[in-house]
Amino acid sequence: MLTKSEVERLLNQKISKEKEEIYRKMAQAFTDNNMKLFNELVMKSYANEHYVTREQLDQKWDTIMTTLDRIYGIVKKMDEEQTVVSYRVNNHESRLTKIETAIA
């Protein structure tokens, strides 16, 4: 790294137009690369703050699937109970029809 006095000495040197153009292009390239690097770092820090990691996503997904499994178990149990109850009602209905025809 250059000291302040070394930088001043370099700035006070006479340089040719050719070298000045080369130095300008080099400075522009450094600036462009620094801007690209800065943008990349900003995007990564933004992503780290605002997006979930793979582990966090997997953890949330596991929680959702566990909850869905519990809900499915409850719904399946209710459906099985409904099937049994509807069979009993059908059975009563046919028995009542037979009794009514026997009485009439």
Side-chain angles (χ1 to χ4, degrees):
M1 184 152 223
L2 297 174
T3 64
K4 184 177 177 182
S5 60
E6 290 172 331
V7 170
E8 287 175 359
R9 188 168 21 93
L10 288 172
L11 290 175
N12 291 330
Q13 288 180 356
K14 294 283 183 188
I15 56 173
S16 67
K17 292 286 183 189
E18 241 177 54
K19 285 187 176 180
E20 184 178 349
E21 186 62 29
I22 291 170
Y23 292 156
R24 283 187 201 282
K25 288 180 181 178
M26 288 173 58
Q28 186 62 42
F30 288 138
T31 303
D32 291 346
N33 286 337
N34 286 339
M35 285 305 293
K36 288 178 187 174
L37 179 62
F38 175 75
N39 288 335
E40 186 70 25
L41 291 173
V42 167
M43 290 302 294
K44 283 184 181 178
S45 69
Y46 180 84
N48 287 339
E49 291 174 12
H50 294 89
Y51 296 110
V52 296
T53 62
R54 178 71 180 181
E55 293 80 24
Q56 291 170 329
L57 184 63
D58 287 343
Q59 197 174 38
K60 291 284 185 186
W61 188 250
D62 287 343
T63 304
I64 291 169
M65 292 309 289
T66 302
T67 305
L68 284 175
D69 284 344
R70 288 181 187 156
I71 292 171
Y72 174 73
I74 293 168
V75 169
K76 184 178 176 185
K77 188 176 181 181
M78 289 174 56
D79 185 47
E80 289 171 352
E81 288 174 1
Q82 182 65 32
T83 302
V84 170
V85 169
S86 73
Y87 175 74
R88 286 183 185 166
V89 170
N90 280 341
N91 191 16
H92 288 309
E93 198 172 303
S94 63
R95 288 175 58 203
L96 287 173
T97 305
K98 287 180 186 175
I99 292 171
E100 286 175 351
T101 55
I103 294 176

